Amino acid sequence: MTLMQKVVTPASSYAHLVNGHDRMAGYVVRAADVSFATTPAQLFEVHGLGYPGSPFRPTDDHVDLLRFESSPQLQYRDVPGYIVPLWWLRHSRIPPRTELVRVYSDGSSRLLAWYGDVGTGWTSAPGIPGQPGLSSLSRCVGPVAKWHSAYLEADVLDDDTVVLALANPPLAETGFDQSPSGRWYRHVARTEVSELFELDLTARWNGLAVRVVDQWQDAQRYVVARISHLGDDMDRAERLHLQQVEAGVYEAVVYAAELTDLQTNQVVPLTWAPGPTTTSQRSYGAPYQHHAHY
């Protein structure tokens, strides 16, 4: 697998460490391509952190990074013409074995937390006070597995193993353990899973192409959705006053009734191949099969 790296804003880092936030989006690079950048000033330059509205400064005492193995369900878009190979990653669930690392101005670094998988969530590193919370499970983002006639949130740990996750203790099935975060999980053989895919729910909101990344009912029982733009029209995203989460990432909470051109697909990576290659050739992900989901 290819080790990828992305800088996270202070707000996103806090969300990972405190709330157990398990999503990411935005510009990413291969860790090997930027291994020379070992201080906040160097990371500011190589990650292009001087964008309008940026919370970063080259004089920052520290910068936090996500380092993760490129996972087959992650969908990238190639960004040509940058100083190092660069990709834009659409809103995705964080893949297993991701690390949250803090890089200091003296060139040292410290592991803050690691993300085991959807079953265990984030765990603080030794010496880091407190334990992260737990984000709500969502089938809008991340792998889903069909196991024993039920659909469950899942992660693919390797070619042979899938982890299944439940928010509450199972009523009928046995073999689930409760993680320290409170979530219930079970490891099963890949051969026990009859379907494995990620839902891809896309739409348009006021003409802007978006991905629906969460849905729920508000206090008045209206269905609302969190949308994340798909990266093809940032000017329109700004004109529509979506929140700029970070460079190239715009999101908003809207009424589901305002969405048009809704399309729901099952995204199945071919053979669960890796994303960007380890060579100088740049691509934005593995080939996919799209199946209509009803």
Side-chain angles (χ1 to χ4, degrees):
M1 287 288 186
T2 304
L3 184 65
M4 308 297 289
Q5 175 173 298
K6 80 175 304 295
V7 170
V8 293
T9 65
S12 293
S13 182
Y14 179 89
H16 295 314
L17 272 175
V18 176
N19 302 325
H21 183 57
D22 62 356
R23 309 290 183 84
M24 62 179 178
Y27 294 109
V28 302
V29 298
R30 285 186 297 238
D33 292 335
V34 295
S35 59
F36 61 88
T38 58
T39 66
Q42 292 170 330
L43 291 167
F44 182 92
E45 180 69 23
V46 77
H47 279 272
L49 301 181
Y51 56 89
S54 171
F56 300 102
R57 299 292 181 271
T59 55
D60 285 340
D61 174 71
H62 65 266
V63 168
D64 293 347
L65 310 168
L66 289 177
R67 289 185 177 141
F68 57 96
E69 295 177 350
S70 183
S71 183
Q73 78 271 11
L74 299 179
Q75 295 191 48
Y76 302 87
R77 173 177 295 174
D78 188 32
V79 181
Y82 195 59
I83 56 176
V84 295
L86 181 70
W87 292 268
W88 184 85
L89 173 66
R90 65 189 295 179
H91 185 117
S92 305
R93 189 201 296 157
I94 290 174
R97 297 177 290 273
T98 293
E99 294 183 342
L100 179 63
V101 177
R102 177 161 293 174
V103 177
Y104 294 95
S105 56
D106 63 0
S108 64
S109 62
R110 181 183 188 183
L111 177 66
L112 299 179
W114 65 86
Y115 181 82
D117 52 54
V118 69
T120 58
W122 285 100
T123 301
S124 295
I128 302 299
Q131 284 297 322
L134 194 61
S135 293
S136 298
L137 290 172
S138 172
R139 294 188 185 172
C140 293
V141 176
V144 174
K146 186 178 182 181
W147 178 77
H148 290 190
S149 302
Y151 289 97
L152 297 90
E153 287 79 357
D155 264 328
V156 180
L157 301 184
D158 53 45
D159 291 340
D160 302 316
T161 309
V162 174
V163 59
L164 310 174
L166 291 169
N168 300 304
L171 298 177
E173 295 286 355
T174 60
F176 280 80
D177 296 315
Q178 189 173 25
S179 69
S181 66
R183 185 165 290 166
W184 294 83
Y185 71 96
R186 175 174 173 170
H187 291 184
V188 300
R190 175 65 179 86
T191 53
E192 294 183 36
V193 173
S194 57
E195 296 179 38
L196 187 61
F197 58 89
E198 179 167 6
L199 285 179
D200 185 32
L201 179 56
T202 59
R204 288 192 175 273
W205 183 70
N206 290 324
L208 181 71
V210 298
R211 183 182 189 187
V212 178
V213 297
D214 282 305
Q215 283 187 323
W216 66 92
Q217 285 187 334
D218 66 8
Q220 288 74 43
R221 302 187 66 82
Y222 290 107
V223 178
V224 294
R226 174 168 288 278
I227 57 174
S228 182
H229 100 298
L230 290 176
D232 57 349
D233 195 344
M234 296 183 191
D235 290 339
R236 181 185 289 269
E238 291 191 351
R239 290 197 303 271
L240 292 172
H241 303 293
L242 273 72
Q243 177 190 5
Q244 184 182 23
V245 179
E246 60 178 81
V249 181
Y250 295 86
E251 299 191 347
V253 175
V254 303
Y255 288 111
E258 299 173 355
L259 299 173
T260 60
D261 299 332
L262 282 162
Q263 296 186 37
T264 306
N265 293 295
Q266 291 181 358
V267 181
V268 183
L270 292 176
T271 69
W272 293 88
T277 61
T278 56
T279 67
S280 59
Q281 180 181 359
R282 289 193 278 173
S283 62
Y284 59 87
Y288 284 79
Q289 292 177 334
H290 291 259
H291 305 286
H293 179 69
Y294 301 96

